[in-house]
């Protein structure tokens, strides 16, 4: 065999070897086939931990109970008991993982007092086969004290005028 | 020249050899009965009767999962279906229903609104949508780099550091639940709030729903109330004909829902 055959062959083998070496260092050690086999779980195992470590923002209704027991008690007597506090008051945790409980670190929660927040449920949509039709509401809410916040008259923790 | 003895011997060896792959899957995957005893398989249950289209689930999801609030993408959304008496189906989901449905007019896009008279409606309802965490996820099959995968408990996740942004998975999902994250420029999808599940909590959308229209459960726990409903009551899934085995079950779906 002549040199002009061997030389390019050595170059090709060299390139392949280089790619394999680079691949060895580049691909993470925990990259492989896991529980669901090659088709569905060929991945980097440590990424599962990334998603588990994601910061929780919404803490749930029970989180507020101890400090704001009066509000917690009053809303639980009203029809609004099904709405969790953070739906209007905003999430009690931040993207950095700071919780509302560490009050000095977290800015005051931004409460949504807008009419639009109430419209989500209380614009009357008389839809057959949907529970939306069962909620009390306005067909045209802009005719009812336009420009005013609903919460000026209706306490969201006890929404019926005159309590309860 | 082949003798009868040799013929029988090789036939037996051949048959035994063909059975090996089947045997291997059983050893590696475990039988369904074994999995049922101790496993964890997250599933979702949506009751479309209870959904009122308030969109608080979408608002909570976007904030919980750091999806830019004003970008027109969302991991979950709510669709409105209004079927009129002339048989026409009108559907919309303005801003993924982030601000709820506050007008009877159907948003047809490009600023067009369709006004529908209440007396013309034969049925109308809301359908929350999210990732189906399919048992056979096509989005995972097509990923060329192993950046998306199914965890042991059935949840399909995306590795942001490994995704090259080719978009194959977005095209492959029959339910249109995937999109590019506007900040990371990688494929993004609902994770059933994997971080909350790990902490013993429910997904943000489930907690945010005042009406109990969204529920989560473990399909491998026979005593789980969600599993009881899926096994004992009438439920359906979306696009069953695709063979993806979606794991978001619906109560009260209608043929108009795509």
């Amino acid at each position: 065999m002549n040199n002009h055959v061997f030389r390019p062959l050595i170059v090709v083998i060299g390139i392949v070897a280089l790619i394999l070496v680079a691949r060895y260092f580049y691909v993470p050690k925990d990259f492989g086939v896991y529980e669901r086999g090659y088709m569905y779980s060929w991945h980097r195992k440590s990424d599962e931990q990334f998603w588990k470590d994601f910061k929780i923002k919404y803490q749930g209704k029970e989180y507020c109970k101890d400090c704001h027991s009066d509000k917690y008690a009053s809303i639980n007597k009203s029809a609004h008991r099904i709405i969790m506090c953070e739906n209007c008051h905003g999430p009690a945790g931040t993207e950095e993982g700071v919780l509302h409980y560490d009050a000095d670190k977290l800015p005051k929660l931004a409460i949504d007092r807008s009419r639009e927040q109430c419209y989500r449920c209380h614009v009357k949509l008389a839809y057959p086969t949907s529970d939306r039709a069962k909620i009390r509401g306005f067909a045209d809410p802009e005719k009812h004290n336009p420009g005013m916040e609903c919460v000026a008259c209706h306490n969201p923790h006890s929404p019926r005028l005159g309590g309860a | 020249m082949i003798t009868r003895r040799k013929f029988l011997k090789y036939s037996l060896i051949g048959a035994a050899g063909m059975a090996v792959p089947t045997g291997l899957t059983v050893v590696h995957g475990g039988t369904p009965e074994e999995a049922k005893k101790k496993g964890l398989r997250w599933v979702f249950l949506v009751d479309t009767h209870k959904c009122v289209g308030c969109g608080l689930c979408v608002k909570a999801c976007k904030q919980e999962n750091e999806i830019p609030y004003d970008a027109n993408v969302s991991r979950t959304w709510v669709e409105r279906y209004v079927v009129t008496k002339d048989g026409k189906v009108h559907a919309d989901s303005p801003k993924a229903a982030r601000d709820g449905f506050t007008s009877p007019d159907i948003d047809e896009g490009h600023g067009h609104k369709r006004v529908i008279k209440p007396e013309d409606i034969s049925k109308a309802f809301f359908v929350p949508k999210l990732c189906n965490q399919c048992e056979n996820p096509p989005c995972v099959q097509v990923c060329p780099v192993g950046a998306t995968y199914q965890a042991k408990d059935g949840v399909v996740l995306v590795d942001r550091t490994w995704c090259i942004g080719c978009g194959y998975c977005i095209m492959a999902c029959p339910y249109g639940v995937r999109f590019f994250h506007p900040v990371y420029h990688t494929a993004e999808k609902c994770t059933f709030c994997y971080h909350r599940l790990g902490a013993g909590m429910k997904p943000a959308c489930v907690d945010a729903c005042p009406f109990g229209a969204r529920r989560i459960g473990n399909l491998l726990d026979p005593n789980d109330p969600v599993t009881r409903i899926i096994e004992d009551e009438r439920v359906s899934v979306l696009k069953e004909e695709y063979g993806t085995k979606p794991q978001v079950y619906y109560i009260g779906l209608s043929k108009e829902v795509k």
Side-chain angles (χ1 to χ4, degrees):
Chain A
M1 204 80 81
N2 294 322
N3 260 352
H4 73 275
V5 174
F6 271 118
R7 277 195 192 147
L9 191 66
I10 288 165
V11 171
V12 168
I13 290 171
I15 292 171
V16 169
L18 210 65
I19 290 170
L20 288 176
V21 169
R23 188 183 177 280
Y24 176 81
F25 288 105
Y26 186 69
V27 176
K29 292 289 163 285
D30 60 340
F31 199 101
V33 175
Y34 295 97
E35 295 90 359
R36 290 280 343 259
Y38 174 68
M39 193 186 286
Y40 295 124
S41 59
W42 179 57
H43 68 290
R44 194 168 60 90
K45 191 73 179 168
S46 50
D47 185 61
E48 291 175 26
Q49 199 55 43
F50 170 85
W51 288 109
K52 281 176 189 161
D53 292 343
F54 207 77
K55 290 287 176 277
I56 296 172
K57 285 95 189 172
Y58 283 83
Q59 304 297 320
K61 199 172 172 181
E62 299 306 308
Y63 179 80
C64 316
K65 184 173 68 176
D66 291 339
C67 300
H68 303 284
S69 52
D70 52 330
K71 304 282 187 209
Y72 182 87
S74 68
I75 197 167
N76 271 346
K77 284 182 201 142
S78 83
H80 278 175
R81 75 181 83 86
I82 54 176
I83 303 169
M84 76 163 176
C85 313
E86 290 160 295
N87 275 346
C88 300
H89 290 264
T94 68
E95 296 184 5
E96 293 77 32
V98 182
L99 294 182
H100 178 67
Y101 191 75
D102 315 317
D104 52 327
K105 288 185 220 155
L106 190 76
K108 221 168 140 59
L109 295 184
I111 306 175
D112 189 346
R113 291 189 174 88
S114 67
R115 284 176 78 98
E116 286 71 23
Q117 178 76 350
C118 309
Y119 286 0
R120 287 171 179 270
C121 297
H122 294 292
V123 168
K124 190 80 180 172
L125 295 174
Y127 287 165
T129 77
S130 173
D131 281 2
R132 176 69 173 252
K134 295 179 190 163
I135 302 176
R136 286 152 49 105
F138 295 99
D140 189 358
E142 294 299 335
K143 285 184 182 153
H144 179 82
N145 298 326
M148 277 177 76
E149 283 177 349
C150 309
V151 298
C153 301
H154 304 270
N155 175 3
H157 295 155
S158 179
R160 289 200 186 147
L161 293 178
Chain B
M1 184 67 190
I2 189 160
T3 62
R4 180 187 293 180
R5 176 181 290 270
K6 271 187 180 166
F7 173 75
L8 287 174
K9 190 175 156 190
Y10 292 139
S11 301
L12 273 177
I13 291 170
M18 277 188 278
V20 165
T22 330
L24 281 179
T25 27
V26 171
V27 171
H28 282 286
T31 61
E33 289 74 31
E34 279 170 10
K36 213 153 192 146
K37 272 180 207 155
K38 50 181 176 177
L40 179 61
R41 208 308 174 192
W42 294 111
V43 292
F44 213 87
L45 180 66
V46 178
D47 188 334
T48 61
H49 297 288
K50 289 181 179 168
C51 180
V52 306
C54 69
L56 288 169
C57 50
V58 181
K59 180 186 179 183
C61 173
K62 291 196 105 170
Q63 295 191 331
E64 178 73 25
N65 293 298
E66 300 173 26
I67 307 300
Y69 201 65
D70 290 317
N72 200 18
V73 287
S74 185
R75 287 182 175 196
T76 185
W77 67 98
V78 182
E79 292 173 358
R80 163 167 63 182
Y81 288 83
V82 177
V83 184
T84 45
K85 284 176 179 156
D86 56 7
K88 284 191 179 139
V89 181
H90 307 278
D92 70 344
S93 183
K95 288 185 188 169
R98 183 196 75 186
D99 302 331
F101 292 87
T102 56
S103 160
D105 302 339
I106 302 289
D107 184 353
E108 296 190 320
H110 307 287
H112 293 291
K113 299 271 179 202
R114 178 174 290 271
V115 180
I116 295 174
K117 291 189 203 131
E119 59 268 26
D120 291 340
I121 299 174
S122 57
K123 56 181 163 182
F125 50 89
F126 300 97
V127 181
K129 295 268 184 89
L130 69 165
C131 174
N132 285 281
Q133 316 290 1
C134 303
E135 192 59 16
N136 298 329
C139 54
V140 174
Q141 289 183 28
V142 299
C143 180
V145 295
T148 186
Y149 56 93
Q150 190 171 45
K152 199 181 171 188
D153 48 20
V155 176
V156 175
L157 299 168
V158 179
D159 185 341
R160 280 183 183 163
T161 60
W162 214 239
C163 174
I164 57 171
C166 69
Y168 284 166
C169 57
I170 297 173
M171 305 298 282
C173 174
Y175 307 99
V177 304
R178 283 179 175 247
F179 57 91
F180 278 125
H181 193 289
V183 175
Y184 304 106
H185 305 295
T186 52
E188 182 70 23
K189 69 181 286 297
C190 162
T191 62
F192 274 5
C193 282
Y194 209 57
H195 54 303
R196 297 173 69 88
L197 294 178
M201 299 170 82
K202 289 171 180 168
C205 61
V206 175
D207 277 345
C209 179
F211 305 95
R214 290 170 174 256
R215 300 174 73 179
I216 189 145
N218 174 16
L219 193 65
L220 300 182
D221 176 2
N223 298 318
D224 191 304
V226 167
T227 306
R228 294 257 47 86
I229 292 173
I230 291 170
E231 290 187 350
D232 300 343
E233 293 181 28
R234 283 169 288 178
V235 293
S236 51
V237 293
L238 292 167
K239 298 184 185 174
E240 193 174 11
E241 65 277 16
Y242 280 69
T244 53
K245 296 187 184 163
Q247 299 299 315
V248 173
Y249 294 84
Y250 284 88
I251 299 172
L253 268 192
S254 190
K255 65 182 165 58
E256 291 82 9
V257 180
K258 296 285 180 258

